[in-house]
Amino acid sequence: MVNQKTTDVNPKATSKKPWGGRFTEATNALVEAFTESVSFDARLYRQDIQGSLAHSKMLAKIGIITNQEAEQIHAGLHRIRDQIDAGEFEWSTELEDVHMNIEARLTEDIGDAGKKLHTGRSRNDQVATDIRLYMREASDDVIDLIRALQHNLLTLAENEVDTILPGFTHLQVAQPISLAHHLLAWNEMLERDAERITDCRKRINVMPLGSAALAGTSFDLDRDFTCELLGFDRPSRNSLDAVSDRDFMIEFASAASLVMMHLSRMCEEIILWASESYKFIDIGDAFCTGSSIMPQKKNPDIAEIVRGKSARVFGNLHALLVLMKSQPLAYNRDNQEDKEPIFDTIDTVARSLQVFAAMIPSITFRRDRMEQAALKGYATATDLAEYLVRLQVPFRDAHEIVGGTVHYAIEQNKPLSDLTLAELQSFGSMIQDDVYDVLTLEGSVNARSHFGGTAPARVREALQAAQDRLTPPK
């Protein structure tokens, strides 16, 4: 997973600012506190060091620094990374951000060679590179988590192909469906989510390094070499755009919002299904909580919290859009505010997917309750109408006949399948004994045997296809 390590920042740690040459006054203390970002961007330290290692190798390749200086830089950066990993690195808010903290410590460690590292780059292209490296890894992690959830859903669905529950529209019983068919609908949502993030990753994986502050640099950098070292698909084509573009973050936040929207929809159904009114499912005790006052309660808190966390991810997307909407080219300090929303989005989506995937295997289904609910809702009424259409009754006439039949069945407190042939023929004389083949739940489900339908045979095919897509043959 993407490193989520929290970092202790020492506001009293002091160092001369690397950019302070033209200034004659110290930065106001309030400004120091207000403008620092190291308290949250320190999580980019691995990506920052990764970018600096590649940049220094490229500088040595083109002769800007010597091989010996590059070796000193590499050794120093590895020592810093080890110190941060061990929690032994002292971060300074006076040095503002992760980049200046690492560079200042490197120079303190190895001397003048450390001062040469920043040749041919700016913090503008440096941070853009860091965040792309970070989000590339985060994208891969989120895709893996989606796949893990899909795996658990498909495993759950394997035993529920012949389980029948009511399908709903407007939260009213509509038609009977296979439970596995319903779970496969959830899987379709997740497949699109994984596809969107995979596609988004293509636009993340572009290297801004070499764009410098906004106009590029007079040094003849070998950007293709750096690009290859860092695993980017290509260097950015325009230096102005490269340092100021945050589309890739907004696109990821949009895709992440859709992930959370889908999880929220699934959670809503799980909450309904677990309620006393439905009693379709039982969620494992490890994923529920009780009440501090009502001892009988078993609350589906995980589903409720995941549903609730969708709100903060949606809010982060909106924050990023508003942040960027009026920014002129090129980089502006406003963009410091892009990191907390995207970090929170990544963390929230990852944790939600993890806990949701863990909860899925704990769910057990009350098949009897599902069947009873389907029977009570006259879910086979559409099948009766389609039966009449096959006997050449115009659909609108068939619709009216079945409407009257359902009204009568409600008055008699009977499911349609319990009406006698004579009772059915009182509404349509053309009805024959074979009507009972379509009035049962099983008959209704089996009848929908086209591609994408809920017939068990088709559901088994769809389940196998979904499993094949999830684990492509090697």
Side-chain angles (χ1 to χ4, degrees):
M1 282 298 299
V2 171
N3 187 284
Q4 299 175 8
K5 182 178 179 180
T6 57
T7 304
D8 292 327
V9 177
N10 181 2
K12 296 182 180 179
T14 59
S15 296
K16 183 179 178 181
K17 294 185 186 299
W19 48 259
R22 63 95 66 210
F23 290 82
T24 58
E25 293 183 49
T27 307
N28 181 283
L30 286 173
V31 174
E32 292 272 15
F34 186 69
T35 60
E36 70 83 17
S37 63
V38 69
S39 58
F40 51 85
D41 69 19
R43 74 157 67 188
L44 295 173
Y45 76 90
R46 283 187 165 273
Q47 290 74 26
D48 195 70
I49 290 171
Q50 181 184 0
S52 292
L53 287 168
H55 183 66
S56 60
K57 286 180 182 178
M58 183 273 298
L59 291 178
K61 180 177 183 289
I62 65 174
I64 299 295
I65 62 174
T66 67
N67 288 332
Q68 183 180 4
E69 287 170 329
E71 289 172 3
Q72 288 180 287
I73 289 169
H74 296 167
L77 288 172
H78 283 117
R79 283 192 292 272
I80 290 170
R81 186 177 62 193
D82 291 343
Q83 290 169 5
I84 299 173
D85 285 345
E88 298 169 355
F89 188 91
E90 189 172 17
W91 298 94
S92 166
T93 56
E94 185 179 341
L95 287 170
E96 300 175 6
D97 56 35
V98 60
H99 323 293
M100 292 294 95
N101 269 267
I102 290 174
E103 184 180 327
R105 180 69 185 89
L106 179 67
T107 301
E108 180 186 324
D109 183 18
I110 67 172
D112 285 348
K115 295 179 182 180
K116 295 183 179 182
L117 173 60
H118 207 55
T119 305
R121 74 177 183 183
S122 161
R123 278 190 293 179
N124 294 358
D125 62 341
Q126 187 178 359
V127 67
T129 301
D130 290 359
I131 195 67
R132 284 177 181 269
L133 288 170
Y134 185 90
M135 290 192 63
R136 185 176 70 187
E137 182 181 345
S139 297
D140 292 340
D141 290 340
V142 170
I143 291 168
D144 287 344
L145 290 169
I146 291 172
R147 297 305 189 201
L149 173 53
Q150 287 182 271
H151 173 78
N152 288 354
L153 275 176
L154 297 178
T155 300
L156 195 66
E158 286 177 353
N159 296 322
E160 308 301 336
V161 173
D162 295 309
T163 302
I164 295 176
L165 79 161
F168 296 92
T169 60
H170 311 279
L171 276 181
Q172 304 296 313
V173 172
Q175 292 177 281
I177 58 171
S178 159
L179 174 56
H181 191 61
H182 194 115
L183 297 176
L184 284 170
W186 291 0
N187 184 68
E188 288 291 321
M189 299 177 190
L190 294 170
E191 281 209 33
R192 293 194 297 274
D193 291 329
E195 289 170 1
R196 267 185 286 267
I197 294 174
T198 299
D199 193 57
C200 173
R201 190 190 188 280
K202 298 174 186 175
R203 285 171 287 283
I204 291 172
N205 205 34
V206 175
M207 189 190 74
L209 201 58
S211 301
L214 77 160
T217 175
S218 61
F219 296 103
D220 189 17
L221 305 182
D222 189 342
R223 297 188 69 207
D224 289 326
F225 178 71
T226 313
C227 190
E228 182 179 353
L229 290 175
L230 292 173
F232 284 108
D233 291 335
R234 62 174 177 84
S236 56
R237 292 187 289 256
N238 183 286
S239 58
L240 275 172
D241 178 64
V243 298
S244 59
D245 166 45
R246 295 299 183 267
D247 292 4
F248 63 98
M249 301 173 75
I250 294 170
E251 185 178 2
F252 179 91
S254 175
S257 294
L258 284 168
V259 173
M260 293 304 296
M261 182 267 285
H262 288 148
L263 291 183
S264 183
R265 293 183 69 187
M266 297 174 205
C267 286
E268 176 69 10
E269 292 192 314
I270 286 172
I271 292 163
L272 286 171
W273 290 356
S275 69
E276 286 297 313
S277 300
Y278 284 75
K279 290 186 179 178
F280 285 3
I281 64 171
D282 185 59
I283 305 170
D285 288 355
F287 296 92
C288 296
T289 65
S291 166
S292 63
I293 189 172
M294 296 170 284
Q296 84 281 7
K297 293 295 293 298
K298 180 179 177 180
N299 300 322
D301 283 21
I302 294 303
E304 291 176 347
I305 292 172
V306 170
R307 183 178 61 179
K309 284 187 180 293
S310 63
R312 67 191 292 164
V313 174
F314 299 168
N316 289 336
L317 170 60
H318 187 68
L320 289 168
L321 286 165
V322 174
L323 175 69
M324 294 303 300
K325 75 175 182 65
S326 298
Q327 285 199 39
L329 293 172
Y331 181 84
N332 299 277
R333 190 66 182 270
D334 311 46
N335 284 354
Q336 178 172 301
E337 295 301 310
D338 62 3
K339 292 166 196 64
E340 288 179 289
I342 202 66
F343 291 159
D344 183 68
T345 291
I346 291 167
D347 294 346
T348 301
V349 171
R351 287 197 297 264
S352 297
L353 285 166
Q354 283 177 311
V355 72
F356 197 91
M359 177 181 65
I360 288 297
S362 81
I363 294 175
T364 55
F365 295 105
R366 301 280 300 276
R367 299 182 180 96
D368 57 333
R369 290 284 304 180
M370 292 180 174
E371 183 175 2
Q372 290 167 17
L375 286 170
K376 288 180 180 177
Y378 299 96
T380 59
T382 303
D383 296 272
L384 179 55
E386 291 174 352
Y387 170 87
L388 293 172
V389 169
R390 283 191 287 271
L391 296 177
Q392 304 305 310
V393 177
F395 178 77
R396 286 302 171 198
D397 292 341
H399 190 287
E400 184 175 353
I401 290 169
V402 175
T405 307
V406 170
H407 181 74
Y408 173 79
I410 291 171
E411 289 182 334
Q412 299 301 311
N413 196 26
K414 292 181 180 180
L416 290 175
S417 57
D418 282 0
L419 295 178
T420 66
L421 181 59
E423 287 175 310
L424 291 169
Q425 288 177 333
S426 68
F427 296 94
S429 60
M430 69 293 294
I431 297 174
Q432 302 299 318
D433 281 338
D434 60 352
V435 71
Y436 293 103
D437 294 337
V438 302
L439 289 184
T440 63
L441 298 179
E442 292 77 11
S444 173
V445 170
N446 283 317
R448 281 150 177 78
S449 193
H450 53 75
F451 180 78
T454 190
R458 286 296 193 176
V459 172
R460 288 189 179 89
E461 292 173 1
L463 181 57
Q464 184 61 57
Q467 290 168 334
D468 292 343
R469 290 192 300 273
L470 189 59
T471 310
K474 294 182 180 179

